[in-house]
Amino acid sequence: MGVPDRKLAVWVVMQDIPLFRVPEDPAALLVCNLAPGARVNVSTRMNDPGYLIDKKNYKASQHWFTPREFPPKGQWINLSWIIPLYAQKIVLHNIPDPNRAQVKSCTVRIYEDSLGLKLLEEFNVNQPLSPQGTEILLSKVQKMQSLRFIFNEVTGGIYHWNAATLGEIEVIGSIMPPKRFKEICDCKGKAYGLYRMDSCGQCLLREDPRWNDCLTAVNNTLKERIGRFIQIPRVMN
């Protein structure tokens, strides 16, 4: 039984496959974590920096960290993409065990270009990062191509030395501008650009002869029937 003014969530269930929720807003299907597509560069390393963008390694024991001869403060991580993306927020994850190493303070810079020359926004995070993720909301959807994460303060480390380390960086956004979301959702993912859904459920350009042709067929049938009725000769007695 329905409840007035309450939206119902749709869940997809398949045998032997985990549940996932279908969002109420179709545009949400076009937004995801784009960090795995980035090129990763770091100031220095003692382990593979690819762990920083690989979700399956987030809870693993393997993490990127800096060598003992380099102090954590000022160490940096750089992500860049070969094409621009449209970012909404950044999510920073501390490593799972904060008692082992904890990022206390950091800076994140968002750049328009892949070389980090044109700064769009800078965020100073003066709080411990959460293993579950600390969100940074951008002031607006930013068309960006690189970011830099800078360590300001870190406690603890890896093995027996103080080191800069991080669990994961997520960049939530899309590879297409949000203004195009409605175009795609209008056609239920069947087409892009100027295509639209007509009243017959067809995804077409408006100038297509088939546009609303199901309604045209109904109108023509009605006209034909009316025409036959009008043309019936009157029988004279």
Side-chain angles (χ1 to χ4, degrees):
M1 182 172 65
V3 179
D5 300 325
R6 179 174 296 177
K7 293 182 179 179
L8 299 179
V10 178
W11 292 80
V12 175
V13 184
M14 297 181 70
Q15 186 177 3
D16 300 326
I17 297 178
L19 300 177
F20 63 92
R21 186 172 183 172
V22 178
E24 295 174 357
D25 181 4
L29 294 170
L30 304 175
V31 176
C32 64
N33 176 23
L34 299 172
R39 173 179 292 178
V40 186
N41 289 309
V42 292
S43 54
T44 185
R45 67 179 187 175
M46 194 74 179
N47 208 344
D48 192 341
Y51 291 129
L52 292 162
I53 58 172
D54 195 343
K55 187 69 174 177
K56 69 178 182 294
N57 286 312
Y58 165 58
K59 293 185 177 180
S61 59
Q62 296 289 331
H63 301 288
W64 165 84
F65 61 97
T66 54
R68 65 184 303 174
E69 60 268 26
F70 294 91
K73 185 175 181 179
Q75 300 300 319
W76 51 264
I77 301 162
N78 197 80
L79 303 186
S80 62
W81 291 262
I82 60 173
I83 60 171
L85 53 91
Y86 298 83
Q88 299 178 2
K89 64 181 178 180
I90 312 296
V91 185
L92 307 171
H93 296 262
N94 198 77
I95 67 169
D97 185 3
N99 295 318
R100 185 182 181 192
Q102 173 70 72
V103 178
K104 295 280 191 179
S105 174
C106 62
T107 298
V108 177
R109 294 172 183 162
I110 308 297
Y111 296 95
E112 182 178 349
D113 59 300
S114 62
L115 299 177
L117 300 177
K118 188 171 182 180
L119 181 66
L120 294 172
E121 290 194 74
E122 179 175 296
F123 302 91
N124 292 305
V125 183
N126 296 310
Q127 66 182 60
L129 298 186
S130 167
Q132 287 73 40
T134 299
E135 290 191 356
I136 299 176
L137 294 177
L138 308 189
S139 62
K140 62 178 182 178
V141 175
Q142 292 283 16
K143 184 180 180 181
M144 59 167 286
Q145 206 167 343
S146 64
L147 71 80
R148 175 161 290 202
F149 176 98
I150 303 170
F151 292 89
N152 296 331
E153 182 184 358
V154 183
T155 59
I158 304 295
Y159 299 126
H160 55 279
W161 66 82
N162 191 217
T165 184
L166 196 65
E168 185 191 4
I169 300 177
E170 293 182 85
V171 180
I172 308 302
S174 175
I175 59 171
M176 63 184 72
K179 65 182 181 181
R180 293 198 57 202
F181 287 3
K182 190 176 186 302
E183 298 174 4
I184 297 169
C185 294
D186 282 349
C187 274
K188 299 180 181 178
K190 295 179 182 177
Y192 299 88
L194 299 176
Y195 286 79
R196 295 289 183 273
M197 278 284 206
D198 69 359
S199 299
C200 306
Q202 303 173 113
C203 194
L204 304 167
L205 294 171
R206 290 187 181 276
E207 57 268 27
D208 194 300
R210 295 170 295 167
W211 182 267
N212 286 339
D213 58 1
C214 65
L215 302 181
T216 303
V218 171
N219 290 334
N220 288 341
T221 301
L222 290 174
K223 288 179 182 179
E224 183 180 349
R225 289 179 179 177
I226 292 172
R228 285 204 304 265
F229 176 78
I230 292 174
Q231 294 173 14
I232 296 176
R234 184 174 180 181
V235 179
M236 301 296 293
N237 290 330

